[in-house]
Amino acid sequence: MAIVLGLPKGSLQESTFALFKRAGFNVSCSSRSYIPSIDDEEIKCRLLRPQEMSRYVELGLLDAGICGYDWVYENGSDIEEVCELNYSKATSNPVRWVLAVPEDSKIKKVEDLQGKRISTEAIGLTKRYLKKHGVKADVEFSWGATEVKAPELVDAIVDLTETGSSLRANKLRIVDTILTSTTRLIANKKSWKNAAKRAKLEQLKMLLTGALEAQRRVLLKCNAPAKALDKVVKVMPALHAPTVNQLHGGEWYAVESVVEERLVRDLIPQLTKAGATGIIELPLNKIIF
Amino acid sequence: MAIVLGLPKGSLQESTFALFKRAGFNVSCSSRSYIPSIDDEEIKCRLLRPQEMSRYVELGLLDAGICGYDWVYENGSDIEEVCELNYSKATSNPVRWVLAVPEDSKIKKVEDLQGKRISTEAIGLTKRYLKKHGVKADVEFSWGATEVKAPELVDAIVDLTETGSSLRANKLRIVDTILTSTTRLIANKKSWKNAAKRAKLEQLKMLLTGALEAQRRVLLKCNAPAKALDKVVKVMPALHAPTVNQLHGGEWYAVESVVEERLVRDLIPQLTKAGATGIIELPLNKIIF
Amino acid sequence: MAIVLGLPKGSLQESTFALFKRAGFNVSCSSRSYIPSIDDEEIKCRLLRPQEMSRYVELGLLDAGICGYDWVYENGSDIEEVCELNYSKATSNPVRWVLAVPEDSKIKKVEDLQGKRISTEAIGLTKRYLKKHGVKADVEFSWGATEVKAPELVDAIVDLTETGSSLRANKLRIVDTILTSTTRLIANKKSWKNAAKRAKLEQLKMLLTGALEAQRRVLLKCNAPAKALDKVVKVMPALHAPTVNQLHGGEWYAVESVVEERLVRDLIPQLTKAGATGIIELPLNKIIF
Amino acid sequence: MAIVLGLPKGSLQESTFALFKRAGFNVSCSSRSYIPSIDDEEIKCRLLRPQEMSRYVELGLLDAGICGYDWVYENGSDIEEVCELNYSKATSNPVRWVLAVPEDSKIKKVEDLQGKRISTEAIGLTKRYLKKHGVKADVEFSWGATEVKAPELVDAIVDLTETGSSLRANKLRIVDTILTSTTRLIANKKSWKNAAKRAKLEQLKMLLTGALEAQRRVLLKCNAPAKALDKVVKVMPALHAPTVNQLHGGEWYAVESVVEERLVRDLIPQLTKAGATGIIELPLNKIIF
Amino acid sequence: MAIVLGLPKGSLQESTFALFKRAGFNVSCSSRSYIPSIDDEEIKCRLLRPQEMSRYVELGLLDAGICGYDWVYENGSDIEEVCELNYSKATSNPVRWVLAVPEDSKIKKVEDLQGKRISTEAIGLTKRYLKKHGVKADVEFSWGATEVKAPELVDAIVDLTETGSSLRANKLRIVDTILTSTTRLIANKKSWKNAAKRAKLEQLKMLLTGALEAQRRVLLKCNAPAKALDKVVKVMPALHAPTVNQLHGGEWYAVESVVEERLVRDLIPQLTKAGATGIIELPLNKIIF
Amino acid sequence: MAIVLGLPKGSLQESTFALFKRAGFNVSCSSRSYIPSIDDEEIKCRLLRPQEMSRYVELGLLDAGICGYDWVYENGSDIEEVCELNYSKATSNPVRWVLAVPEDSKIKKVEDLQGKRISTEAIGLTKRYLKKHGVKADVEFSWGATEVKAPELVDAIVDLTETGSSLRANKLRIVDTILTSTTRLIANKKSWKNAAKRAKLEQLKMLLTGALEAQRRVLLKCNAPAKALDKVVKVMPALHAPTVNQLHGGEWYAVESVVEERLVRDLIPQLTKAGATGIIELPLNKIIF
């Protein structure tokens, strides 16, 4: 029995395929097809726009799918969230849906939108947000290039931003952040209750998060003389404790630990100071705590 | 007083700029901007998705715009149609919105769609079409790649096709053609009644259609001796009559006519046979009958 | 009844399609297909390697084809040559098959090849050439990059050259030119005897050569006062005589002639000197004398 | 005897080769060479940076060259200016060397530069400009990306601009325009006095300016009935008068004239109104008045 | 003393250079050269078409070469096969030479080819195959695009396929597989008997196969408490046994093993279940058992 | 307190960003900006031409910068050299500034340049070199393509070369090597004396050199039975001694060492011979001795 898994077509596609590769699955797709091949007989893949993913997962046409939380929310889909997968297009920051207006607009807060026209690709999200704040406004569907529409064609926009640079380039000011979103593995509720399907989804979760964790971590190894061992071990961060191993001859110890890569640049000077030598850093493919 | 003119962003953009160039207007646009520059002080250009064009023309935010008839119809916009502009992406054929189903589907006519699910980018068009045929069905907005959704995710699609090749490649069968569409120059109704704006729009119409006509025609010139003149003139097609001109010396005549390029390949052997010599064909930039 | 016409796949394909376009035929082909579409119901196109063209024309699987004379000769095909078409990849020079050896080789003439090893893509051509000179040598088929094989792997090569620059870059010296070749329109002998097919081939010949001639020529027009007319007419080259036309009012004459473009740069100063004014040069699409 | 002619390497190279092509000279150059081939035995070409052109023309290592007036001025070269050639990279506007400072700088006029640091690629030009205004400042040679250096690294820059958009993007304000420059054909003074070389340079001038003029002009033709002839002729602009020609039969006249392309869009409605029919516009290769 | 080694030019070139890089040899080649540089004084490289490799290895012009077994067989070359190198263009599947016919052809088995015409790039292979089956047919050399020739130009083809997708796209049916082929390191028989050359070839074999093996394997490490050690070791696959190492303190063990990457996704859940923690996977450059 | 660090714009930019990535710093820069972002609050980056780097470091506008030694020398800048960073564009060879002349020039040594013209981008370097040798010559600034200027425009050039291939292609002969240069991390002298800034610079030095060293090294691991341990340890190179570790059970030892990658291809056969099994090679990110 195989699960049918939706993968996101578009800007996330390449990084999703790369993530699966690191997790141990070879996924490939000819340019015009929407049926990627995968080297696991228990998985059937489909490529879908992230905007439509949760709709078909909810209907059960897919057992599971990968897409942003924003589109689950926009569609109001009733699905099971399996786990967060912390990766996106350019950076590891979450994307945000923001309400933005021209820099010199008089609109300073959501309440100033009363009776105005707003352009957005996320109609549902925007309407629920306005309703929550008791504001009535015209919400128009945008077919793209939303950020160039204000102020000539509309008064405000609700758009996606990762770094804010496109908004700045179009001289827009953020009034409010409506939703912060990251990528998720979601499942159909019935599939999630099916034992075999759930086991497969748990395996996927373990391997995908293991591959993501490994990207942010490295294996750090060093040697320490007996007298410096305590200091070195103290400096070396570890989930439990670093792995320590007495070397042949007895006077030296090998210390190794999986550490976050962003800490290494400060850690290395400290290890050196503590008496460690022969420090080496190795890349990881996967890590399961 | 200048008119504000919407030009289509996307697949038609490059050919629209080229058409304006041939019509005598230099339009250019840096890649990230939506405000093209044009060397005519009486025109201000804006780049917009064709899907949104008629909406903003109707509201009067644009005086005029260029877009497909399909989106005028989809939006149900109340605008003035100035003229048809017979050009599109790849060929000079009109595009069609068709109802298509998988090749082996049991759906043979629109009535078989009762209770089915249909995916399309043109929600309004599809709903009006179904209503006209008294059919009730689920119509879902498609975020793209509509042609790969049937049969797995939906029962039928309503999609755009120029040559039908993408449908065939996805093993879809056309059930019905819902709408045939070509590009149009449309105007806001109030702007059309303004004399100065209308004069500018009439000039645009004359030059744009003149440039389009010229692309399909050439100037054919040949010489004929006095005795062959009648035959040559008879063979040469012309709106009224070919231009005939007696040459210095008196025994030869120059005959020239603007003819459709697609006729030339059969015309040349006939002219030769009729006695014409020195046949030359010249390209045209514009033609106004 | 349609003729089946072979068009050359590869380096000549793009320029062949462009030539047909200028001749009045729209030929197009999706990248993976070998059946180009053409807007003439009397022609069916096939894309074939030029090396194989004459083989299939001779067999009658194609009525006609376009390829270099070299491959007609290499294959020893018994076909009808309809006309020369003077175009090729980069320049309008004919290509040459040459016998070449390393710059410092002791081989100075074909007779020195006795007992040597020669690499070439044109086995038949090379063997016939050697036989004619009474030389016995090993001739090996080359799968490409022939010009880098001497002297390490073979003693000499027989290879195609247009400008000689690739030979020079590989430090090879030309010993002899074996064959000079240009592109040809060739026909199956039986098809050529069929009246309907021949008429179509004659039309193709007229339009293709007319388009090629037009590329090398322009229409030159100028005005001349009555007193300077003779001088101007004398300077202006023409197949017969320039077209002279007395203008309204009677004191001026318009003189026009189709001339080779390469002559224009010297002609213009002479026309100016002879008294011509308002000299203009116009491009041509086709010319049939 | 051939002249040695320097052609500008870099951003002007492609448009220069295209200009020569329209003027009747085929110039081509393999990507790594600086010796272009040209199909005229009386010309030898060399590719050089425009910055160095006038230096080598002055020394007589080149007989003539094409480069911007700005670099002639920067180098202070003593050469003969043959003619202006009105073309450049993107538009037909002249380029300008401007003094620019950060938008919020206190520097408002050249005198405020006293004691400041300025970065520029045109050291000579900048120093002469400062001297003329009695200002002493540090002028540093810029190796590129001059527009990003202010205000962090320098107080002001002197840089080239065509449209001003790069300056705006870097939030710089223009304080003064130091030099406006167009492309020129320049000659060595001794070569200019040599009769044979001068004749060749005059021919080049005639053909290059003829090709440039033709780009901005078209041939406009129309027919007019006898009664409308005067009106039509009056509307049609012409250097002297339009060419008028009585057609066979006697009741119609053909009127043609070379007109500026930018006028055509207003001219066509006027001609139609005056009674002209069958208006066609043809492109020109060259025009010599 | 250096060996002369032929490397395959064309589709395998890039992956061959990458394989040598992983094996510890830097090979590079400017785009127009056929003499790659390599950072090993005992090897001289030459780039050759795979089709010609075995011919020059047999003649002794190369000491060794890398090419497909198919071309060794096609050429009937008498060489020493050193080892198989399991890599190819896209996948790790071997390529196949197949006999294929149009889907609707009446040809069902090789015997049906009697008197037919067959196109192929592998003339020798095809003729030997036909002879073995007692079939007489016309075998024509194909200059490329073999798969589009049937049924119009020939009755059947013999062509190379990796996934069969090109055959399916051209509506061809496989009748028989004639030869299955993988890449090989081959040597001249005399060179193989020379002790010094053979030592070098053995080193190449060890490093190239070591790099290929490493691509399909990873290093898996985990920790196990004393009580879980047996279970964990039992789960962990290893050529002999996993490497087990008692950690400082004595209660934990480090277990590591080189395992096939394709097994990891099932292994990790099993290791977790067996009591392992801190599972990490590291990439390998080379592995020599 | 943050340091301001100049990174080289141009050919070294991409490899510099990659080096920082391996050292643990994420640097990125949008294409038109010169202010890269870096994920370290103690560093502010600026992109600058390497030619200008030392000038702004000396002035204190930058605390430190990365550039070639050649431009430090050319500018005669008074800065602190922190360390050498052994990387460059294509290879790990240092670049050289050489004096070169046409192959057939009579100039054989620097003294022959008396009274000649020399073109170069490094005016200061060249003048100091000539002065040292007591030679007077004209030194002209070259705006690029220096290697094509001799002999037509100048007698000799002083230019940068990595492999000499561009010089050979232009038929130039090297007369003398004036300067050999590698990349350096340089600091402003005052910043170097500031304790906080110096600590940051020392950290950068440790991590950047650690990342560079790691590129040329790998971790080699193998197992050895007790009886072969001495032999294996003796063969294995190590800065101090290889890390030896007795495995669980006591009969086997794990031996590992960081070794230079270029040695591995000879080391592996020796280790095998010495009795080692299960040899694996792992890539390194960083190494600090």
Side-chain angles (χ1 to χ4, degrees), chain E residues 104-124:
Chain E
D104 54 4
S105 164
K106 288 183 181 166
I107 297 167
K108 303 291 178 195
K109 53 188 191 302
V110 54
E111 287 75 14
D112 300 339
L113 286 173
Q114 192 73 31
K116 304 292 184 186
R117 270 225 324 287
I118 306 168
S119 184
T120 183
E121 286 186 73
I123 294 274

PDB file of all heavy atoms in Angstrom, chain E residues 104-124:
ATOM      1  N   ASP E 104       3.098  -0.354 -34.469  1.00  0.00           N
ATOM      2  CA  ASP E 104       2.103  -1.145 -35.211  1.00  0.00           C
ATOM      3  C   ASP E 104       2.727  -1.961 -36.347  1.00  0.00           C
ATOM      4  O   ASP E 104       2.012  -2.412 -37.237  1.00  0.00           O
ATOM      5  CB  ASP E 104       1.009  -0.215 -35.742  1.00  0.00           C
ATOM      6  CG  ASP E 104       1.608   0.922 -36.561  1.00  0.00           C
ATOM      7  OD1 ASP E 104       2.847   0.928 -36.773  1.00  0.00           O
ATOM      8  OD2 ASP E 104       0.842   1.797 -36.997  1.00  0.00           O
ATOM      9  N   SER E 105       4.030  -2.142 -36.287  1.00  0.00           N
ATOM     10  CA  SER E 105       4.692  -2.930 -37.337  1.00  0.00           C
ATOM     11  C   SER E 105       4.310  -4.401 -37.201  1.00  0.00           C
ATOM     12  O   SER E 105       3.995  -4.889 -36.115  1.00  0.00           O
ATOM     13  CB  SER E 105       6.207  -2.779 -37.203  1.00  0.00           C
ATOM     14  OG  SER E 105       6.878  -3.777 -37.935  1.00  0.00           O
ATOM     15  N   LYS E 106       4.363  -5.120 -38.316  1.00  0.00           N
ATOM     16  CA  LYS E 106       4.076  -6.552 -38.273  1.00  0.00           C
ATOM     17  C   LYS E 106       5.283  -7.358 -37.801  1.00  0.00           C
ATOM     18  O   LYS E 106       5.189  -8.558 -37.565  1.00  0.00           O
ATOM     19  CB  LYS E 106       3.655  -7.032 -39.658  1.00  0.00           C
ATOM     20  CG  LYS E 106       2.265  -6.538 -40.027  1.00  0.00           C
ATOM     21  CD  LYS E 106       1.807  -7.057 -41.368  1.00  0.00           C
ATOM     22  CE  LYS E 106       0.428  -6.497 -41.687  1.00  0.00           C
ATOM     23  NZ  LYS E 106       0.078  -6.710 -43.113  1.00  0.00           N
ATOM     24  N   ILE E 107       6.423  -6.693 -37.712  1.00  0.00           N
ATOM     25  CA  ILE E 107       7.637  -7.391 -37.278  1.00  0.00           C
ATOM     26  C   ILE E 107       7.548  -7.684 -35.776  1.00  0.00           C
ATOM     27  O   ILE E 107       7.427  -6.774 -34.964  1.00  0.00           O
ATOM     28  CB  ILE E 107       8.876  -6.535 -37.592  1.00  0.00           C
ATOM     29  CG1 ILE E 107       8.999  -6.334 -39.110  1.00  0.00           C
ATOM     30  CG2 ILE E 107      10.144  -7.169 -37.024  1.00  0.00           C
ATOM     31  CD1 ILE E 107       9.980  -5.274 -39.535  1.00  0.00           C
ATOM     32  N   LYS E 108       7.579  -8.954 -35.432  1.00  0.00           N
ATOM     33  CA  LYS E 108       7.420  -9.363 -34.029  1.00  0.00           C
ATOM     34  C   LYS E 108       8.695 -10.002 -33.478  1.00  0.00           C
ATOM     35  O   LYS E 108       8.891 -10.088 -32.285  1.00  0.00           O
ATOM     36  CB  LYS E 108       6.287 -10.402 -33.900  1.00  0.00           C
ATOM     37  CG  LYS E 108       4.950  -9.946 -34.433  1.00  0.00           C
ATOM     38  CD  LYS E 108       4.336  -8.840 -33.587  1.00  0.00           C
ATOM     39  CE  LYS E 108       3.003  -8.371 -34.189  1.00  0.00           C
ATOM     40  NZ  LYS E 108       2.544  -7.106 -33.654  1.00  0.00           N
ATOM     41  N   LYS E 109       9.525 -10.547 -34.394  1.00  0.00           N
ATOM     42  CA  LYS E 109      10.755 -11.199 -33.938  1.00  0.00           C
ATOM     43  C   LYS E 109      11.820 -10.986 -34.999  1.00  0.00           C
ATOM     44  O   LYS E 109      11.510 -10.596 -36.138  1.00  0.00           O
ATOM     45  CB  LYS E 109      10.516 -12.687 -33.682  1.00  0.00           C
ATOM     46  CG  LYS E 109       9.896 -13.419 -34.846  1.00  0.00           C
ATOM     47  CD  LYS E 109       9.503 -14.838 -34.467  1.00  0.00           C
ATOM     48  CE  LYS E 109       9.133 -15.637 -35.715  1.00  0.00           C
ATOM     49  NZ  LYS E 109       8.016 -15.016 -36.483  1.00  0.00           N
ATOM     50  N   VAL E 110      13.066 -11.237 -34.624  1.00  0.00           N
ATOM     51  CA  VAL E 110      14.172 -10.944 -35.526  1.00  0.00           C
ATOM     52  C   VAL E 110      13.987 -11.617 -36.882  1.00  0.00           C
ATOM     53  O   VAL E 110      14.346 -11.042 -37.925  1.00  0.00           O
ATOM     54  CB  VAL E 110      15.533 -11.308 -34.871  1.00  0.00           C
ATOM     55  CG1 VAL E 110      15.545 -12.739 -34.383  1.00  0.00           C
ATOM     56  CG2 VAL E 110      16.692 -11.077 -35.833  1.00  0.00           C
ATOM     57  N   GLU E 111      13.423 -12.812 -36.920  1.00  0.00           N
ATOM     58  CA  GLU E 111      13.276 -13.527 -38.184  1.00  0.00           C
ATOM     59  C   GLU E 111      12.398 -12.769 -39.188  1.00  0.00           C
ATOM     60  O   GLU E 111      12.517 -12.946 -40.404  1.00  0.00           O
ATOM     61  CB  GLU E 111      12.696 -14.931 -37.943  1.00  0.00           C
ATOM     62  CG  GLU E 111      13.694 -15.905 -37.323  1.00  0.00           C
ATOM     63  CD  GLU E 111      13.924 -15.637 -35.828  1.00  0.00           C
ATOM     64  OE1 GLU E 111      13.127 -14.890 -35.228  1.00  0.00           O
ATOM     65  OE2 GLU E 111      14.917 -16.164 -35.269  1.00  0.00           O
ATOM     66  N   ASP E 112      11.518 -11.898 -38.701  1.00  0.00           N
ATOM     67  CA  ASP E 112      10.645 -11.133 -39.605  1.00  0.00           C
ATOM     68  C   ASP E 112      11.399 -10.050 -40.377  1.00  0.00           C
ATOM     69  O   ASP E 112      10.822  -9.360 -41.205  1.00  0.00           O
ATOM     70  CB  ASP E 112       9.504 -10.472 -38.816  1.00  0.00           C
ATOM     71  CG  ASP E 112       8.643 -11.500 -38.100  1.00  0.00           C
ATOM     72  OD1 ASP E 112       8.671 -12.680 -38.506  1.00  0.00           O
ATOM     73  OD2 ASP E 112       7.950 -11.123 -37.129  1.00  0.00           O
ATOM     74  N   LEU E 113      12.698  -9.869 -40.069  1.00  0.00           N
ATOM     75  CA  LEU E 113      13.462  -8.798 -40.721  1.00  0.00           C
ATOM     76  C   LEU E 113      14.005  -9.198 -42.090  1.00  0.00           C
ATOM     77  O   LEU E 113      14.602  -8.372 -42.792  1.00  0.00           O
ATOM     78  CB  LEU E 113      14.643  -8.383 -39.833  1.00  0.00           C
ATOM     79  CG  LEU E 113      14.255  -7.556 -38.610  1.00  0.00           C
ATOM     80  CD1 LEU E 113      15.478  -7.346 -37.728  1.00  0.00           C
ATOM     81  CD2 LEU E 113      13.692  -6.202 -39.045  1.00  0.00           C
ATOM     82  N   GLN E 114      13.825 -10.453 -42.465  1.00  0.00           N
ATOM     83  CA  GLN E 114      14.334 -10.934 -43.761  1.00  0.00           C
ATOM     84  C   GLN E 114      13.996  -9.955 -44.892  1.00  0.00           C
ATOM     85  O   GLN E 114      12.832  -9.630 -45.129  1.00  0.00           O
ATOM     86  CB  GLN E 114      13.724 -12.322 -44.041  1.00  0.00           C
ATOM     87  CG  GLN E 114      14.366 -13.061 -45.191  1.00  0.00           C
ATOM     88  CD  GLN E 114      15.760 -13.567 -44.810  1.00  0.00           C
ATOM     89  OE1 GLN E 114      16.034 -13.887 -43.663  1.00  0.00           O
ATOM     90  NE2 GLN E 114      16.673 -13.591 -45.783  1.00  0.00           N
ATOM     91  N   GLY E 115      15.060  -9.432 -45.566  1.00  0.00           N
ATOM     92  CA  GLY E 115      14.850  -8.567 -46.731  1.00  0.00           C
ATOM     93  C   GLY E 115      14.469  -7.138 -46.395  1.00  0.00           C
ATOM     94  O   GLY E 115      14.215  -6.326 -47.289  1.00  0.00           O
ATOM     95  N   LYS E 116      14.463  -6.765 -45.117  1.00  0.00           N
ATOM     96  CA  LYS E 116      14.069  -5.401 -44.714  1.00  0.00           C
ATOM     97  C   LYS E 116      15.282  -4.473 -44.670  1.00  0.00           C
ATOM     98  O   LYS E 116      16.425  -4.907 -44.821  1.00  0.00           O
ATOM     99  CB  LYS E 116      13.417  -5.464 -43.322  1.00  0.00           C
ATOM    100  CG  LYS E 116      12.223  -6.403 -43.235  1.00  0.00           C
ATOM    101  CD  LYS E 116      11.050  -5.881 -44.041  1.00  0.00           C
ATOM    102  CE  LYS E 116       9.824  -6.780 -43.856  1.00  0.00           C
ATOM    103  NZ  LYS E 116       8.718  -6.387 -44.741  1.00  0.00           N
ATOM    104  N   ARG E 117      14.999  -3.198 -44.411  1.00  0.00           N
ATOM    105  CA  ARG E 117      16.077  -2.207 -44.264  1.00  0.00           C
ATOM    106  C   ARG E 117      16.162  -1.752 -42.812  1.00  0.00           C
ATOM    107  O   ARG E 117      15.154  -1.384 -42.208  1.00  0.00           O
ATOM    108  CB  ARG E 117      15.838  -0.995 -45.161  1.00  0.00           C
ATOM    109  CG  ARG E 117      16.466  -1.149 -46.531  1.00  0.00           C
ATOM    110  CD  ARG E 117      17.222   0.065 -47.065  1.00  0.00           C
ATOM    111  NE  ARG E 117      16.598   1.314 -46.701  1.00  0.00           N
ATOM    112  CZ  ARG E 117      15.477   1.766 -47.247  1.00  0.00           C
ATOM    113  NH1 ARG E 117      14.872   1.091 -48.182  1.00  0.00           N
ATOM    114  NH2 ARG E 117      14.980   2.910 -46.843  1.00  0.00           N
ATOM    115  N   ILE E 118      17.382  -1.749 -42.257  1.00  0.00           N
ATOM    116  CA  ILE E 118      17.615  -1.413 -40.851  1.00  0.00           C
ATOM    117  C   ILE E 118      18.644  -0.287 -40.768  1.00  0.00           C
ATOM    118  O   ILE E 118      19.663  -0.327 -41.445  1.00  0.00           O
ATOM    119  CB  ILE E 118      18.168  -2.634 -40.068  1.00  0.00           C
ATOM    120  CG1 ILE E 118      17.253  -3.839 -40.254  1.00  0.00           C
ATOM    121  CG2 ILE E 118      18.352  -2.304 -38.590  1.00  0.00           C
ATOM    122  CD1 ILE E 118      17.863  -5.135 -39.778  1.00  0.00           C
ATOM    123  N   SER E 119      18.373   0.716 -39.936  1.00  0.00           N
ATOM    124  CA  SER E 119      19.304   1.821 -39.745  1.00  0.00           C
ATOM    125  C   SER E 119      19.916   1.736 -38.361  1.00  0.00           C
ATOM    126  O   SER E 119      19.222   1.486 -37.382  1.00  0.00           O
ATOM    127  CB  SER E 119      18.547   3.148 -39.895  1.00  0.00           C
ATOM    128  OG  SER E 119      19.433   4.237 -39.799  1.00  0.00           O
ATOM    129  N   THR E 120      21.230   1.967 -38.271  1.00  0.00           N
ATOM    130  CA  THR E 120      21.897   1.868 -36.970  1.00  0.00           C
ATOM    131  C   THR E 120      23.252   2.553 -37.009  1.00  0.00           C
ATOM    132  O   THR E 120      23.847   2.709 -38.074  1.00  0.00           O
ATOM    133  CB  THR E 120      22.114   0.392 -36.574  1.00  0.00           C
ATOM    134  OG1 THR E 120      22.696   0.353 -35.267  1.00  0.00           O
ATOM    135  CG2 THR E 120      23.065  -0.317 -37.548  1.00  0.00           C
ATOM    136  N   GLU E 121      23.733   2.965 -35.836  1.00  0.00           N
ATOM    137  CA  GLU E 121      25.097   3.473 -35.742  1.00  0.00           C
ATOM    138  C   GLU E 121      26.093   2.338 -35.506  1.00  0.00           C
ATOM    139  O   GLU E 121      27.291   2.571 -35.564  1.00  0.00           O
ATOM    140  CB  GLU E 121      25.205   4.487 -34.595  1.00  0.00           C
ATOM    141  CG  GLU E 121      24.566   5.830 -34.928  1.00  0.00           C
ATOM    142  CD  GLU E 121      24.824   6.840 -33.833  1.00  0.00           C
ATOM    143  OE1 GLU E 121      25.955   7.322 -33.715  1.00  0.00           O
ATOM    144  OE2 GLU E 121      23.870   7.155 -33.088  1.00  0.00           O
ATOM    145  N   ALA E 122      25.575   1.151 -35.189  1.00  0.00           N
ATOM    146  CA  ALA E 122      26.448   0.027 -34.861  1.00  0.00           C
ATOM    147  C   ALA E 122      26.296  -1.059 -35.913  1.00  0.00           C
ATOM    148  O   ALA E 122      25.604  -2.065 -35.719  1.00  0.00           O
ATOM    149  CB  ALA E 122      26.129  -0.505 -33.464  1.00  0.00           C
ATOM    150  N   ILE E 123      26.935  -0.838 -37.033  1.00  0.00           N
ATOM    151  CA  ILE E 123      26.829  -1.736 -38.182  1.00  0.00           C
ATOM    152  C   ILE E 123      27.331  -3.145 -37.854  1.00  0.00           C
ATOM    153  O   ILE E 123      26.664  -4.144 -38.139  1.00  0.00           O
ATOM    154  CB  ILE E 123      27.677  -1.164 -39.359  1.00  0.00           C
ATOM    155  CG1 ILE E 123      27.089   0.157 -39.861  1.00  0.00           C
ATOM    156  CG2 ILE E 123      27.828  -2.190 -40.472  1.00  0.00           C
ATOM    157  CD1 ILE E 123      26.002   0.024 -40.877  1.00  0.00           C
ATOM    158  N   GLY E 124      28.483  -3.242 -37.215  1.00  0.00           N
ATOM    159  CA  GLY E 124      29.102  -4.532 -36.929  1.00  0.00           C
ATOM    160  C   GLY E 124      28.237  -5.365 -35.993  1.00  0.00           C
ATOM    161  O   GLY E 124      27.962  -6.550 -36.261  1.00  0.00           O
TER     162      GLY E 124
END
